[in-house]
């Protein structure tokens, strides 16, 4: 019996997502109620939770092996002393989202789409979060009134045809509150598509219930991007949540963050993307880790990401290969960084490599 099954059998409310939210682990004492916590780890957590917020759903904790310091689940959910390290390039807001904010909760960086920060609450506070400066800050979460006023910006800008609802995690909002936001967006004639960015299927899969899906189905075309970083997160519970969303007719994409010691090799990533496509989720982006404060220990060299994608391309189904991107520091947007297959381009021909490194030529018209 897995620990998840064991705890699910012990707690009758295990599958109630509100129960999971209420019982999140936020301290060393809280953790000790669930698992045995070695003295060293207890001190480390106490030191760090004074600086950074921690919150882990019992469900996600049940996947972690706390005895293994290299465990990919533990590293994503339990605070570490390494978060207190500062690297010279760190910034509190590396993507300058404050600079591109057109209202307190709308970021307009690209011509035809905006990012709407619908809440700052999350199922779990990921240790590698880019927006860690604001997630969990209840005073940054907009009230219904404030948000409706801010939607006037979208109403007044007919060039906006795609609204990405993110945060925080919008699927932690009560369904009726989320419906208010989505229905108001849907009522704007020039908003063609609505997107939701969420980690809930990974950290709180019981939230994906019929009530939520019944609501979302009314507002198609609606896309959902999830975040899975390691194959171990694709549990039977997560698979069921993804299946339900796909069955509701919602196209699914995945955005992974490239994390040192968690998923920074081609084999780990191959397992993840192949499992995602079996769950009808299209790997969309693989992000180079941002320059956010306190996450330097997760960063890899950029070549690591390029090499992983190079090794996937040609060796797995084309649609299982995500695009590797750097979100440009300072706020330039996402830029794909790829292996350069082109050896030479001249007036007569293009000389290029295939996925196995063999050289081919294409004559220019
Ligand atoms: C990521 C992002 C988007 C969406 O970008 P896509 O490449 O279309 O997925 C939109 N606005 C902001 C500010 C973003 O960071
Ligand atoms: S769910 Fe997203 S916004 Fe929330 S902590 Fe994790 S990465 Fe950050």
């Amino acid at each position: 019996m897995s620990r998840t099954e064991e705890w699910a059998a012990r707690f009758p409310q295990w599958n109630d997502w509100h129960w999971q939210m209420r019982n999140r682990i936020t301290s060393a004492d809280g953790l000790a109620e669930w698992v045995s916590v070695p003295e060293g780890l207890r001190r480390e957590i106490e030191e760090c939770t004074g600086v950074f917020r921690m919150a882990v759903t019992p469900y996600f904790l049940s996947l972690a092996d706390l005895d293994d310091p290299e465990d990919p689940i533990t590293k994503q959910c339990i605070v570490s002393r390494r978060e207190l390290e500062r690297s010279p390039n760190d910034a509190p807001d590396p993507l300058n989202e404050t600079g591109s904010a057109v209202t307190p909760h709308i970021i307009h960086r690209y011509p035809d789409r905006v990012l709407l920060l619908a809440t700052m609450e999350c199922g779990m506070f990921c240790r590698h979060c880019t927006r860690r400066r604001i997630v969990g800050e209840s005073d940054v979460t907009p009230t219904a009134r404030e948000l409706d006023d801010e939607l006037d910006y979208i109403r007044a800008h007919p060039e906006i045809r795609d609204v990405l609802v993110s945060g925080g995690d919008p699927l932690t909002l009560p369904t009726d509150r989320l419906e208010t936001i989505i229905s108001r967006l849907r009522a704007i004639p020039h908003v063609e598509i609505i997107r939701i960015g969420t980690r809930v299927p990974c950290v709180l899969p019981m939230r994906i219930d019929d009530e939520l899906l019944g609501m979302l189905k009314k507002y198609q075309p609606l896309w959902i991007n999830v975040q899975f970083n390691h194959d171990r997160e694709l549990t039977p519970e997560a698979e069921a949540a993804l299946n339900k969303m796909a069955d509701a007719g919602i196209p699914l994409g995945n955005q992974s963050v490239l994390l040192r010691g968690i998923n920074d090799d081609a084999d780990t990533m191959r397992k993840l993307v192949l499992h995602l496509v079996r769950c009808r989720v299209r790997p969309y982006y693989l992000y180079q880790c941002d320059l956010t404060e306190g996450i330097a220990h997760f960063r890899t060299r950029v070549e690591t990401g390029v090499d992983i994608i190079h090794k996937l391309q040609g060796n797995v189904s084309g649609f299982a290969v995500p695009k590797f991107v750097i979100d440009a520091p300072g706020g330039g947007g996402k830029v794909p960084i790829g292996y350069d297959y082109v050896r030479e381009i001249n007036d007569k021909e293009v000389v290029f490599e295939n996925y196995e490194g063999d050289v081919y030529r294409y004559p220019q018209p």
Side-chain angles (χ1 to χ4, degrees):
M1 206 187 209
S2 72
R3 185 150 69 186
T4 314
E5 289 167 326
E6 201 184 296
W7 289 357
R10 187 166 359 137
F11 300 98
Q13 288 176 287
W14 183 262
N15 288 318
D16 173 351
W17 70 277
H18 295 288
W19 181 89
Q20 289 278 342
M21 288 295 281
R22 270 200 312 277
N23 286 280
R24 287 185 303 175
I25 293 95
T26 59
S27 65
D29 285 343
L31 186 62
E33 289 174 21
W34 291 89
V35 289
S36 75
V37 183
E39 194 44 39
L41 179 60
R42 167 181 286 276
R43 270 200 307 277
E44 181 163 0
I45 294 175
E46 282 168 355
E47 252 175 65
C48 302
T49 45
V51 183
F52 293 115
R53 217 175 274 105
M54 176 172 88
V56 195
T57 54
Y59 163 78
F60 199 76
L61 182 69
S62 77
L63 311 180
D65 176 3
L66 292 183
D67 296 328
D68 176 7
E70 293 304 311
D71 182 63
I73 305 291
T74 307
K75 281 180 166 177
Q76 292 185 66
C77 65
I78 303 293
V79 283
S80 149
R81 201 171 270 130
R82 304 208 53 190
E83 295 178 33
L84 306 175
E85 295 167 7
R86 286 292 165 270
S87 116
N89 299 314
D90 287 356
D93 177 16
L95 307 177
N96 189 24
E97 291 189 325
T98 319
S100 307
V102 289
T103 73
H105 303 94
I106 295 177
I107 300 169
H108 195 174
R109 173 164 301 144
Y110 297 104
D112 68 339
R113 55 207 190 277
V114 293
L115 172 63
L116 176 68
L117 304 175
T119 174
M120 284 307 139
E121 184 59 275
C122 295
M124 163 171 115
F125 297 137
C126 309
R127 299 331 303 163
H128 55 271
C129 180
T130 287
R131 296 203 190 99
R132 61 191 330 201
R133 75 184 189 284
I134 47 173
V135 295
E137 298 278 356
S138 49
D139 54 342
V140 196
T141 289
T143 63
R145 203 36 219 289
E146 284 168 344
L147 206 58
D148 199 39
D149 286 346
E150 291 183 46
L151 294 188
D152 283 344
Y153 178 85
I154 301 175
R155 292 185 189 104
H157 286 79
E159 71 275 20
I160 298 171
R161 40 160 291 280
D162 173 1
V163 178
L164 168 50
V165 183
S166 182
D169 198 318
L171 295 191
T172 61
L173 289 167
T175 304
D176 57 344
R177 174 91 182 80
L178 183 62
E179 179 160 20
T180 305
I181 299 169
I182 293 180
S183 62
R184 284 181 181 163
L185 288 172
R186 197 23 94 227
I188 304 173
H190 54 267
V191 173
E192 294 172 9
I193 62 167
I194 298 170
R195 284 198 263 180
I196 293 178
T198 177
R199 223 189 162 193
V200 153
C202 179
V203 300
L204 188 66
M206 46 293 280
R207 166 62 175 123
I208 308 302
D209 53 21
D210 293 341
E211 182 213 24
L212 175 68
L213 292 171
M215 184 278 279
L216 294 176
K217 270 169 89 163
K218 295 191 278 178
Y219 301 100
Q220 306 273 23
L222 179 139
W223 294 58
I224 291 186
N225 274 333
V226 295
Q227 182 194 145
F228 287 86
N229 295 320
H230 194 280
D231 178 60
R232 286 248 312 274
E233 297 166 341
L234 284 163
T235 61
E237 291 83 354
E239 286 181 345
L242 295 170
N243 266 322
K244 275 188 180 178
M245 294 194 289
D247 286 347
I250 300 170
L252 301 172
N254 184 65
Q255 320 200 76
S256 292
V257 185
L258 182 57
L259 298 165
R260 183 147 65 135
I262 293 179
N263 59 13
D264 59 341
D265 65 275
D267 283 340
T268 303
M269 205 53 85
R270 179 182 299 113
K271 253 196 210 150
L272 173 65
V273 297
L274 292 179
H275 199 163
L276 283 166
V277 298
R278 291 202 299 279
C279 296
R280 289 178 281 173
V281 182
R282 163 89 154 92
Y284 178 42
Y285 283 144
L286 173 63
Y287 287 100
Q288 173 67 17
C289 210
D290 287 325
L291 300 175
T292 306
E293 278 172 350
I295 65 170
H297 57 295
F298 285 125
R299 278 175 221 137
T300 58
R301 285 188 59 96
V302 172
E303 294 93 317
T304 306
V306 172
D307 183 55
I308 288 173
I309 302 301
H310 185 206
K311 284 178 170 149
L312 291 179
Q313 181 66 47
N315 288 303
V316 298
S317 316
F319 57 79
V321 184
K323 209 178 272 175
F324 178 53
V325 294
I326 302 183
D327 218 332
K334 298 172 186 72
V335 180
I337 308 287
Y339 181 82
D340 190 359
Y341 291 89
V342 176
R343 295 267 183 97
E344 195 189 334
I345 297 186
N346 57 43
D347 279 350
K348 283 213 265 339
E349 61 179 4
V350 182
V351 185
F352 56 95
E353 284 176 27
N354 77 344
Y355 72 102
E356 295 174 303
D358 299 330
V359 177
Y360 294 84
R361 289 157 197 279
Y362 183 89
Q364 298 272 35

